[in-house]
Amino acid sequence: MSTWKPITQIVQDVQSGTVSAVSLVEKSLAEIEAKADYRSIIAVTKERAFERAAQIDAQVAAGQSTGRLAGVPFIAKDNFLVFGADTTAASNILKGFDAPYQSTAIERLEAEGAICVAKANLDAFAHGSSTENSDFMTTLNPHDKTRVPGGSSGGSAAAVALELAPFALGTDTGGSIRQPASFSGVVGYKPTYGLVSRSGVVAMASSTDVIGPMTRTVEDAALVLDCMAGKDILDGTTIERAAEAYSQLGQQDLTGVKIGVIKEYFGEGLDSEVKTVIDQAIEKIKHAGATVEEVSLPSLKLALACYYIIVPAEISSNLSRYDGQRYGYFTDDADDLDHSYTQSRSIGFGDEAKRRIMIGTYVLSSGYYDAYYQKAQLVRTKLINEFKDAFNKYDVLLGPTAPTTAFKLGEHSSDPLEMYLTDIMTVAVNLAGVPAISLPAGLSDGLPVGVQLIANQSNDHQLLSIARSIEGVLV
Ligand code: GLN
């Protein structure tokens, strides 16, 4: 039996006074403590969580109205600025950083009554695919402790799979919500770029960073998205939300839904057992009435190379703010200001952040800009156009989320290129800014396999509706 009811039922229980918000926080903290050996949690926000829970219980007792997430505990990836615990992005350079304000996503969830109880582990600054790049610890896969949970939102994915809380928040710059969702057997939703404000989230690559929910069901994901989405004055890249509520999914019949299966995601590198699970899922979807055809997006084969030029370029710029002077790691063992910058950054940043700063600075430097950065941007435009063309014919595109199931701890950590290759099926979505979801499709050797569904820009509502129907035929 699962630990948590669907989110709407938890909220009903709180609003009717059947269950107190305080008891839900207690329950979540007890789960976190009992499953600490998976190392998914960096810190708990216990004191603040209990204060907020008591306020919600008092509101209920006084007959006042509460929000759509009243009393629901959740866990935020530790790159969200949150009150009640440090915000570290799992990096030594931000250790001890006390956020002066909260991210918009957290503020909006709190306004609906949700309660943040803990901060989840990640690859430092969200650079990675396994959580092994965390400067603090490696999270273990909930299905097999000798394997990674995926990354970079590995702590959030594991937390949901272990049922430490009803939902968690992740960020997805190149797959960091979807890939760990696939490896850990949960639902991971990456919204259209700009649908959820990035304000107050530690920046990785500003042109592809998005925030999204990690849950056990599509319905829960849609509700959490509904509470976060929409324009924000603090993030100029935010877009208008759809008129319809994302949580009102309606009954989407799969009959007549046109699905394009992405040819490029079934070639070399795809594990044959993952392929079997995805093929079985496709059969079930066909059986439910959808029209399924193969579609080719030729530029997808360039997406990974393109991503690993554009994203490090943006990282090198975004990480330049960490100079040790106003906040973050600082060493006073320096002769002058320049030396203080280099010392603070050399000691504070881990290997992967340094690697990306170097790659990014290189591809942006004069003489190389035209050869790398500008070319990558041209490829990106081509890719965007290929997605647009495909969506003229199909409602959603489908493929595996990742080429393999969860790999062994240490299997790729000594070879950065091998690690980058694990992102081959997720990065294109970020370059194009389109929404995508990873759904549990089945098991291979006891390990979860995720199926990825992708929709056109701003078609989040349709994507979630179709995903819910597909979830229904897969379970
Ligand atoms: N694994 C990818 C990377 O290392 C994606 C990371 C992310 O989405 N934050 O860049």
Side-chain angles (χ1 to χ4, degrees):
M1 220 190 74
S2 53
T3 311
W4 302 98
K5 292 182 181 176
I7 294 178
T8 48
Q9 285 181 31
I10 298 176
V11 174
Q12 274 169 21
D13 289 347
V14 170
Q15 287 173 337
S16 65
T18 321
V19 167
S20 72
V22 166
S23 73
L24 294 174
V25 169
E26 276 166 358
K27 177 167 154 174
S28 182
L29 292 171
E31 292 294 323
I32 290 171
E33 208 175 302
K35 294 166 188 164
D37 51 334
Y38 288 91
R39 302 195 289 261
S40 64
I41 300 300
I42 291 181
V44 290
T45 47
K46 188 173 173 179
E47 214 174 301
R48 191 176 144 83
F50 276 123
E51 267 171 32
R52 290 188 29 77
Q55 278 167 11
I56 287 165
D57 288 336
Q59 279 170 1
V60 171
Q64 291 164 0
S65 67
T66 51
R68 287 179 293 164
L69 295 173
V72 180
F74 72 96
I75 292 167
K77 188 177 180 179
D78 199 21
N79 55 354
F80 284 79
L81 270 61
V82 173
F83 293 150
D86 295 340
T87 297
T88 68
S91 73
N92 282 326
I93 208 163
L94 272 177
K95 218 167 162 176
F97 177 64
D98 187 12
Y101 63 96
Q102 296 204 107
S103 38
T104 297
I106 301 286
E107 289 281 317
R108 289 190 178 175
L109 293 177
E110 285 196 348
E112 293 289 352
I115 302 172
C116 181
V117 291
K119 306 295 295 287
N121 195 28
L122 63 149
D123 291 290
F125 287 108
H127 306 162
S129 317
S130 66
T131 79
E132 291 165 299
N133 289 339
S134 165
D135 287 348
F136 307 155
M137 60 192 178
T138 298
T139 301
L140 309 182
N141 188 294
H143 299 262
D144 178 348
K145 284 185 169 172
T146 68
R147 293 174 187 272
V148 303
S152 63
S153 312
S156 301
V160 173
L162 293 166
E163 299 208 75
L164 306 187
F167 76 93
L169 293 184
T171 58
D172 191 315
T173 302
S176 280
I177 287 176
R178 290 160 289 150
Q179 185 258 26
S182 173
F183 281 15
S184 298
V186 301
V187 173
Y189 190 70
K190 179 241 175 257
T192 295
Y193 177 78
L195 187 57
V196 180
S197 169
R198 292 177 293 112
S199 173
V201 176
V202 176
M204 179 174 164
S206 307
S207 80
T208 70
D209 285 349
V210 295
I211 286 152
M214 307 185 75
T215 55
R216 290 159 302 148
T217 64
V218 174
E219 205 169 77
D220 283 354
L223 176 58
V224 175
L225 177 71
D226 210 27
C227 296
M228 299 192 292
K231 269 217 168 288
D232 176 21
I233 197 166
L234 299 174
D235 175 359
T237 61
T238 46
I239 56 171
E240 290 295 347
R241 51 172 299 141
E244 68 265 64
Y246 298 102
S247 53
Q248 300 295 312
L249 293 179
Q251 281 305 319
Q252 171 88 43
D253 186 355
L254 286 176
T255 312
V257 171
K258 292 200 219 68
I259 298 179
V261 173
I262 301 173
K263 180 172 167 234
E264 285 72 17
Y265 287 170
F266 287 81
E268 199 194 334
L270 177 64
D271 186 290
S272 65
E273 293 183 9
V274 170
K275 183 175 183 300
T276 306
V277 174
I278 300 296
D279 284 343
Q280 284 164 356
I282 292 172
E283 283 313 309
K284 289 181 190 163
I285 293 166
K286 273 188 192 161
H287 193 71
T291 310
V292 183
E293 285 171 15
E294 188 179 78
V295 58
S296 171
L297 285 75
S299 297
L300 279 178
K301 59 180 181 299
L302 301 172
L304 194 72
C306 176
Y307 173 88
Y308 275 102
I309 291 171
I310 294 172
V311 165
E314 295 185 24
I315 288 172
S316 69
S317 166
N318 274 329
L319 292 187
S320 64
R321 72 190 63 166
Y322 302 103
D323 58 10
Q325 305 308 306
R326 282 160 301 164
Y327 56 88
Y329 179 80
F330 166 76
T331 168
D332 48 13
D333 177 26
D335 311 328
D336 54 32
L337 186 60
D338 260 353
H339 192 211
S340 166
Y341 290 154
T342 41
Q343 280 293 91
S344 301
R345 288 168 66 84
S346 300
I347 299 169
F349 282 130
D351 287 349
E352 188 58 29
K354 286 179 190 159
R355 183 176 295 117
R356 294 185 188 216
I357 290 169
M358 286 190 279
I359 296 172
T361 309
Y362 180 82
V363 300
L364 288 175
S365 58
S366 94
Y368 297 103
Y369 180 90
D370 294 353
Y372 295 106
Y373 184 75
Q374 208 172 36
K375 256 208 186 114
Q377 292 290 15
L378 292 174
V379 172
R380 183 179 191 172
T381 303
K382 209 160 176 285
L383 198 59
I384 291 170
N385 290 333
E386 287 179 16
F387 269 111
K388 274 193 191 142
D389 287 346
F391 290 122
N392 282 332
K393 266 185 97 176
Y394 301 103
D395 299 311
V396 295
L397 304 182
L398 180 151
T401 305
T404 64
T405 52
F407 45 86
K408 289 264 186 198
L409 294 162
E411 196 175 327
H412 298 312
S413 48
S414 58
D415 185 342
L417 268 186
E418 260 184 38
M419 190 68 90
Y420 297 170
L421 273 167
T422 68
D423 304 327
I424 196 140
M425 290 155 184
T426 47
V427 296
V429 158
N430 299 76
L431 292 170
V434 295
I437 188 167
S438 180
L439 292 179
L443 297 174
S444 158
D445 261 344
L447 295 171
V449 173
V451 61
Q452 180 174 214
L453 305 169
I454 307 167
N456 204 358
Q457 290 234 344
S458 294
N459 278 2
D460 297 76
H461 185 266
Q462 188 193 18
L463 175 58
L464 286 161
S465 303
I466 294 173
R468 192 177 63 158
S469 302
I470 290 182
E471 174 185 53
V473 304
L474 293 181
V475 290

